[in-house]
Amino acid sequence: MYYVPEGTTRCGYYECESCGEKFLSLQTMEHINCPYCEAEFDPEIGPDEAMQVAEDTAKLIQVLEGEDVEKMDALLSLAITGGNFEWI
């Protein structure tokens, strides 16, 4: 599996309101930080700059359980690779 560890039986399916990325997370809260937007977060500031605030921009679309976790993980992985399923 690409998005969650092998054997995961429950996870959240999220979409970021800021960047539009869809991803799986072991968390199942209503809103969480987007890992894609977090990667662009710059904690270094100059003397006249204000610190950026990390926001919970990813919204829970659905809680996945059981076989649905593995199916969605495979679908999202195929979307990332452009349909090349040979590596799975």
Side-chain angles (χ1 to χ4, degrees):
M1 289 205 222
Y2 182 74
Y3 285 95
V4 291
E6 191 76 36
T8 300
T9 58
R10 180 179 165 99
C11 70
Y13 176 48
Y14 290 88
E15 181 175 13
C16 180
E17 297 169 344
S18 180
C19 68
E21 290 288 339
K22 294 180 181 178
F23 60 93
L24 298 178
S25 174
L26 295 177
Q27 301 178 37
T28 56
M29 297 183 302
E30 207 50 46
H31 285 87
I32 63 171
N33 290 340
C34 172
Y36 299 100
C37 292
E38 246 181 19
E40 297 174 4
F41 182 76
D42 185 14
E44 295 184 20
I45 59 172
D48 296 332
E49 297 176 337
M51 179 71 145
Q52 289 180 330
V53 177
E55 297 179 17
D56 295 340
T57 58
K59 183 178 180 182
L60 179 66
I61 297 174
Q62 180 180 0
V63 174
L64 303 172
E65 295 190 48
E67 290 182 6
D68 291 339
V69 173
E70 189 172 341
K71 288 178 186 177
M72 185 59 77
D73 186 68
L75 285 173
L76 290 172
S77 299
L78 285 173
I80 292 278
T81 63
N84 181 6
F85 60 88
E86 294 175 7
W87 68 273
I88 296 178

